[in-house]
Amino acid sequence: MFLTDPALRRIAAWTGDVWPEHPWRHDTATPGPSGILAQLLHTITVRFNDNAELLDRLLGALGQQASTVREATARHTAVPPSALDRSATDVLDQIGRRVLLEQLLLDAYEAWRAHRQPDRGTDELHLLLRPGDTTFGVATLRRLDDGVWLVSPDAEAAAAFGIPYAATIIGQVAEHDTGWQPTAYRDPEHRHHGGGLSYTLPPQDELGTACRTLMRWWALRHSANWRSRRPEQLTEAELAALTE
């Protein structure tokens, strides 16, 4: 599953860039601005992640303390001694620190990205399935042919869309006029077969929408509402729902 690292998750939500690891660590020994920015970004990333871990622990402790007091007041018993005031202060301090580190992280990342050498063509891409919202997970796109990409959701994406296909192929997206043509299948060998082996879905203007269409098709395909229908047999409302 992608984006388990707090810094990478925040960067993805802000910029749409999805990384499986910290790519700037490879630039820390590079001379010039790229190396300096990579070192700065690395330092900020460590501090941001440390803060995220500490804040999570503090919030957990504060929640437990608040629950204990809440249970005592609900039973109308004596309220036990509590460190709520101190815990709340610690949480507020770390939230303030997070706000500062978050801005430093994003500024440093954008500066490093601007000075980094342009990425060469790649045969694998990682796409945030819902721009600005990391809770919908990530799709991995692997080049199949020129302009054609195989699509696989990570575990978070599969759970978010309710499909049993984490880290496995769910179809392809192909360049189509000014947009993308999604075709759902489980095996690339079946992509031209049709029948019950592949399903051509409505073309979409954006790559992310095309990938979400694949996800929502399989969610429908595994629901009681499917009723063995093909995409062309769906209602207009059902077709529209595929692009949500």
Side-chain angles (χ1 to χ4, degrees):
M1 186 169 67
F2 285 87
L3 306 183
T4 56
D5 179 279
L8 293 180
R9 198 172 186 90
R10 188 66 190 93
I11 287 169
W14 181 257
T15 67
D17 294 345
V18 177
W19 300 101
E21 46 97 30
H22 300 163
W24 47 87
R25 68 187 178 86
H26 303 294
D27 292 346
T28 53
T30 302
S34 294
I36 294 171
L37 289 169
Q39 293 172 26
L40 176 62
L41 181 54
H42 172 72
T43 299
I44 296 171
T45 298
V46 171
R47 292 178 180 174
F48 181 87
N49 286 348
D50 287 346
N51 169 262
E53 182 181 354
L54 176 57
L55 186 54
D56 184 64
R57 290 203 309 268
L58 291 173
L59 286 169
L62 180 61
Q64 291 177 353
Q65 292 169 1
S67 294
T68 299
V69 173
R70 184 170 182 269
E71 290 172 4
T73 57
R75 294 194 303 266
H76 302 288
T77 58
V79 176
S82 173
L84 274 174
D85 55 346
R86 180 58 192 168
S87 295
T89 299
D90 290 343
V91 166
L92 290 173
D93 287 345
Q94 291 304 316
I95 288 176
R97 181 173 172 80
R98 178 192 171 87
V99 171
L100 175 61
L101 287 171
E102 180 178 83
Q103 192 58 57
L104 290 172
L105 174 72
L106 297 176
D107 287 347
Y109 174 77
E110 291 186 337
W112 167 80
R113 200 78 169 94
H115 283 82
R116 193 176 192 242
Q117 291 296 323
D119 294 332
R120 298 180 182 276
T122 179
D123 290 329
E124 182 171 292
L125 302 173
H126 304 296
L127 178 71
L128 201 62
L129 278 164
R130 179 75 71 180
D133 187 349
T134 57
T135 62
F136 281 83
V138 172
T140 294
L141 281 64
R142 294 183 176 87
R143 192 186 302 276
L144 178 62
D145 292 316
D146 187 30
V148 181
W149 300 80
L150 295 173
V151 180
S152 302
D154 72 345
E156 189 169 13
F161 287 87
I163 63 174
Y165 300 132
T168 61
I169 294 170
I170 60 169
Q172 70 177 40
V173 289
E175 293 182 7
H176 174 79
D177 296 334
T178 59
W180 296 87
Q181 174 72 64
T183 304
Y185 52 73
R186 301 292 319 339
D187 186 336
E189 294 296 323
H190 298 159
R191 60 183 176 140
H192 300 304
H193 289 191
L197 300 176
S198 69
Y199 307 88
T200 301
L201 302 171
Q204 305 299 331
D205 294 336
E206 298 180 351
L207 179 58
T209 308
C211 290
R212 291 198 301 276
T213 297
L214 287 175
M215 305 285 287
R216 294 199 183 281
W217 164 258
W218 286 114
L220 174 64
R221 174 71 173 73
H222 286 278
S223 75
N225 293 327
W226 177 49
R227 301 191 298 278
S228 300
R229 292 176 297 164
R230 296 190 55 75
E232 59 270 19
Q233 296 172 310
L234 300 182
T235 67
E236 290 187 8
E238 288 172 323
L239 287 173
L242 293 180
T243 66
E244 291 178 359

